[in-house]
């Protein structure tokens, strides 16, 4: 892969991975409410799920989703519904003791599956497959370069956001700070869901 293409990939990966979205919002909220160890299952799940999505898009699933509007709308509807449900759960947590497994818990497999209803993840996977993999004679070799780069970015961005949430945890434990923080994170999830409606 030419250096200019690799540089463009790094710029795209940085912009898409570190801007707020459902993954980074959940990483932050989980760590702020339940601590960094509890958030790590989700942080690790994001790159695993996203890598599976990228591989499936490279194998042709992405083209099928683009070609079948009902399938695309089904994925969007599931993603929007799940984000709104998480936002509702999150907005109700006012104390750290309330953020228990029954109220705010997104485990490893939920994190993996979330990537398949995350429109931002689909857009990134489809963009990378179309721009860096498909249509090139060395497509398999390019995929072997792209995949670990994107894995690293997915993990690093979510770990960074989770670390931020964990650092805020003790400060948020006082008064109504956690409630307003959770409501702000819920608002980000709702805004993402609304963006998904228009995407």
């Amino acid at each position: 892969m030419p250096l200019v293409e690799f540089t463009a990939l790094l710029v795209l990966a940085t912009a898409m991975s570190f801007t707020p979205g459902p993954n980074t919002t959940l990483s932050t909220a989980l760590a702020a409410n339940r601590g960094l160890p509890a958030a790590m299952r989700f942080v690790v799940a994001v790159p695993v799920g996203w890598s599976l999505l990228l591989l499936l898009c490279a194998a042709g699933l992405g083209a099928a989703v683009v070609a079948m509007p009902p399938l695309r709308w089904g994925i969007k509807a599931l993603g929007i519904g799940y984000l709104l449900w998480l936002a509702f759960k999150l907005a109700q947590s006012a104390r750290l003791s309330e953020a228990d497994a029954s109220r705010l818990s997104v485990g490893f497999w939920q994190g993996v599956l979330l990537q398949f209803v995350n429109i931002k993840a689909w857009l990134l996977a489809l963009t990378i497959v179309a721009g860096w993999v498909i249509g090139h004679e060395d497509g398999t070799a390019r995929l072997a370069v792209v995949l670990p780069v994107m894995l690293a970015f997915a993990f690093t961005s979510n770990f960074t956001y989770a670390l931020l949430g964990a650092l805020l945890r003790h400060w948020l434990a006082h008064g109504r700070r956690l409630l307003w923080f959770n409501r702000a994170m819920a608002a980000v999830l709702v805004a993402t869901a609304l963006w998904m409606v228009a995407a």
Side-chain angles (χ1 to χ4, degrees):
M1 182 182 299
L3 180 60
V4 66
E5 285 189 56
F6 186 70
T7 303
L9 175 68
L10 294 180
V11 170
L12 176 66
T14 302
M16 292 296 284
S17 298
F18 284 92
T19 52
N23 290 328
T24 53
T25 301
L26 283 173
S27 293
T28 307
L30 286 168
N33 282 272
R34 304 189 65 207
L36 188 59
M40 286 307 295
R41 288 176 296 177
F42 180 75
V43 169
V44 171
V46 171
V48 171
W50 196 87
S51 297
L52 291 172
L53 180 62
L54 179 67
L55 290 170
L56 289 171
C57 284
L61 178 65
V65 170
V66 170
M68 298 174 62
L71 181 57
R72 189 170 64 245
W73 280 105
I75 291 169
K76 283 177 74 167
L78 282 172
I80 290 164
Y82 187 63
L83 289 181
L84 292 176
W85 178 79
L86 285 173
F88 175 75
K89 290 285 200 181
L90 185 57
Q92 294 178 332
S93 295
R95 293 186 304 275
L96 293 176
S97 60
E98 292 178 349
D100 56 16
S102 64
R103 187 175 297 272
L104 182 62
S105 179
V106 182
F108 179 81
W109 291 112
Q110 285 175 294
V112 169
L113 292 175
L114 177 61
Q115 306 319 301
F116 289 86
V117 294
N118 179 350
I119 296 300
K120 186 178 176 184
W122 275 101
L123 290 173
L124 181 57
L126 291 171
T127 299
I128 288 174
V129 168
W132 279 267
V133 179
I134 299 296
H136 297 277
E137 291 181 4
D138 58 343
T140 303
R142 285 169 168 263
L143 187 59
V145 171
V146 167
L147 188 58
V149 168
M150 297 310 299
L151 264 168
F153 271 89
F155 176 80
T156 304
S157 63
N158 283 280
F159 180 73
T160 302
Y161 275 84
L163 190 59
L164 175 63
L167 291 173
L168 289 172
R169 184 170 164 78
H170 294 294
W171 181 79
L172 291 170
H174 300 286
R176 296 175 61 82
R177 293 173 183 169
L178 185 66
L179 176 63
W180 291 110
F181 173 82
N182 284 341
R183 287 182 176 172
M185 294 292 100
V188 172
L189 291 177
V190 170
T192 303
L194 293 174
W195 173 80
M196 286 171 65
V197 171

